[in-house]
Amino acid sequence: MLKLDKQHFCILPWIHLHVAQNGRVSPCCNNNRYLGNVQEQTIADIWKGKKFEAIREQFQNDIPDKRCSHCYNIEKSGKQSMRQISNKKYTKELQRVEENNPQPIYLDIRFSNICNFKCKTCWHGNSSAWYEEGSKRNASDERIIKAFTNNFNELFDYLNDVEEIYFAGGEPLIMEEHYQILEELEKRELFDIQLRYNTNFSNLNFKDKNILDVWKKFNNVHVSASIDAAFELGSEIREGFDWQQFINNRKQMQASCPEIYFEIAPTISTLNIFKLPELHQTLVNLNLISIDNIYLNFLERPLTYNLKSLPEDDKLKVIEIIEKHMSWLAKNSTHFSIVKQYKNLLNYLQ
């Protein structure tokens, strides 16, 4: 029986289909190894192709991949990486590895770069709002980049076997393809599929649809809101962000579908680290999130904003601020896991 305690094994290539905004297929959103492109090949040909088979064989033999450095760095800090989380979550699928019977049951399709925000830590490949900044940061000559130019409906062939779909962007809540997928799931009454989101949570309406009304039909919806700071700083980091609109949207969600899991997922960088406790405590005090409903993303690139680039004096200030916040957490939460997230943050910083 394959063991999960291997240092480099990752189950994702057997169960996970990741398509970037430009149609490029890779093992996951953190590893840019080229496995094919849905604009040039069918999903089936890519999934069963030699490049996918090569990385499966590599991971089965516990051989590291240099493009997995994001997960390896996270693991060094003590925080669980996407690799570790996925291995644990999909332990029941290990039989697929041993029988070499891969099947995409977890979809992460970035349909386009359409986005209404221009975040300082982002670029044109992930946000159409960056297009005006010039060719140096542009990923294409076109403002809008779309993953599927012809064979979008091929995705429908996999839906009956899918267990989880992760929507990110761009901004998924203003993408046509996102709603087409949901409509197909509704038509097939596949309401048990887990829907996970990374969204800026700025717009709950698209054409004639309100996403809250759609989410209520599904049994397992997980929403991670990308918000980096409260008040004016939030708008400075993420151009397009409106603090009051965020609060109003969250209150609408609490009134309409309180059973849906909601967390904030700030991207931790030099831009917001000094104000991170303020964001967390403010939203808890406003009863907009539970104290444990936060997921800290450690920014790797651009390196200018990576925490490790801070001068030593600033690192000491960060340690003092975060340790004070951890004391507040210890007094107000019964879950050690939330304190551990901040401990891991300090480990990463150092």
Side-chain angles (χ1 to χ4, degrees), residues 124-135:
H124 177 234
N126 288 334
S127 170
S128 54
W130 267 109
Y131 181 75
E132 306 296 347
E133 294 300 309
S135 60

Side-chain angles (χ1 to χ4, degrees), residues 5-71:
D5 58 358
K6 290 187 174 183
Q7 191 173 0
H8 304 292
F9 171 77
C10 181
I11 197 171
L12 289 180
W14 283 268
I15 63 168
H16 174 58
L17 177 67
H18 171 70
V19 181
Q21 294 89 340
N22 59 1
R24 183 185 176 104
V25 176
S26 54
C28 73
C29 61
N30 293 320
N31 182 322
N32 66 356
R33 180 169 173 169
Y34 181 78
L35 301 177
N37 194 304
V38 295
Q39 295 179 5
E40 303 164 358
Q41 305 156 268
T42 66
I43 293 173
D45 285 345
I46 296 170
W47 185 255
K48 297 175 183 177
K50 292 181 179 179
K51 290 184 172 65
F52 238 127
E53 283 301 312
I55 194 168
R56 289 177 188 132
E57 183 178 358
Q58 178 178 335
F59 284 159
Q60 193 166 12
N61 292 322
D62 204 29
I63 299 172
D65 190 295
K66 62 182 180 181
R67 287 151 292 203
C68 293
S69 60
H70 181 78
C71 276

Side-chain angles (χ1 to χ4, degrees), residues 43 148 150-158 180 184 188:
I43 293 173
F148 288 90
N150 45 39
N151 59 335
F152 172 76
N153 286 352
E154 188 188 356
L155 280 174
F156 294 170
D157 296 340
Y158 297 93
Q180 289 175 341
E184 189 65 24
R188 302 186 190 190

Side-chain angles (χ1 to χ4, degrees), residues 149-343:
T149 54
N150 45 39
N151 59 335
F152 172 76
N153 286 352
E154 188 188 356
L155 280 174
F156 294 170
D157 296 340
Y158 297 93
L159 292 183
N160 285 341
D161 296 312
V162 164
E163 297 181 14
E164 177 179 353
I165 304 177
Y166 178 60
F167 295 105
E171 170 46 43
L173 299 188
I174 58 174
M175 289 183 190
E176 184 82 44
E177 296 90 342
H178 159 249
Y179 290 92
Q180 289 175 341
I181 291 291
L182 294 187
E183 286 173 3
E184 189 65 24
L185 295 179
E186 286 187 65
K187 188 164 67 175
R188 302 186 190 190
E189 298 184 352
L190 297 173
F191 298 115
D192 287 332
I193 289 179
Q194 182 182 23
L195 305 179
R196 288 200 303 117
Y197 288 84
N198 183 279
T199 167
N200 62 37
F201 203 62
S202 64
N203 196 329
L204 304 181
N205 297 293
F206 180 80
K207 296 184 177 180
D208 61 342
K209 292 185 181 294
N210 180 284
I211 192 59
L212 300 180
D213 294 334
V214 179
W215 283 343
K216 281 190 277 189
K217 300 175 184 179
F218 290 86
N219 300 321
N220 192 343
V221 180
H222 182 123
V223 179
S224 293
S226 298
I227 172 175
D228 290 343
F231 312 113
E232 292 81 6
L233 181 59
S235 304
E236 290 177 18
I237 298 173
R238 295 182 179 267
E239 184 178 323
F241 172 77
D242 184 293
W243 172 249
Q244 191 57 52
Q245 185 64 58
F246 177 84
I247 291 175
N248 292 343
N249 287 349
R250 176 57 183 144
K251 287 181 177 179
Q252 281 187 52
M253 185 180 182
Q254 287 176 313
S256 178
C257 38
E259 72 283 355
I260 290 177
Y261 182 86
F262 181 87
E263 68 180 3
I264 58 169
T267 298
I268 312 304
S269 70
T270 59
L271 298 168
N272 67 339
I273 186 61
F274 295 101
K275 291 291 186 177
L276 179 60
E278 177 186 61
L279 171 66
H280 194 176
Q281 293 183 31
T282 299
L283 291 176
V284 170
N285 292 335
L286 289 172
N287 294 315
L288 296 178
I289 63 169
S290 298
I291 194 169
D292 303 308
N293 286 21
I294 182 171
Y295 182 83
L296 305 182
N297 288 308
F298 302 162
L299 178 80
E300 286 279 318
R301 294 176 299 275
L303 295 175
T304 307
Y305 300 133
N306 189 303
L307 290 182
K308 296 176 183 179
S309 70
L310 284 171
E312 289 304 314
D313 287 350
D314 283 344
K315 287 184 180 181
L316 293 176
K317 292 176 185 176
V318 169
I319 293 170
E320 182 180 355
I321 290 170
I322 297 302
E323 286 182 343
K324 183 178 179 181
H325 184 56
M326 286 164 58
S327 297
W328 177 81
L329 288 169
K331 293 177 183 177
N332 292 279
S333 174
T334 57
H335 295 95
F336 175 72
S337 59
I338 184 62
V339 177
K340 187 178 179 181
Q341 278 204 65
Y342 283 92
K343 284 184 176 181

Side-chain angles (χ1 to χ4, degrees), residues 135-148:
S135 60
K136 287 185 178 180
R137 294 199 70 162
N138 284 354
S140 168
D141 292 333
E142 302 292 329
R143 175 186 292 273
I144 305 300
I145 304 169
K146 291 211 169 190
F148 288 90

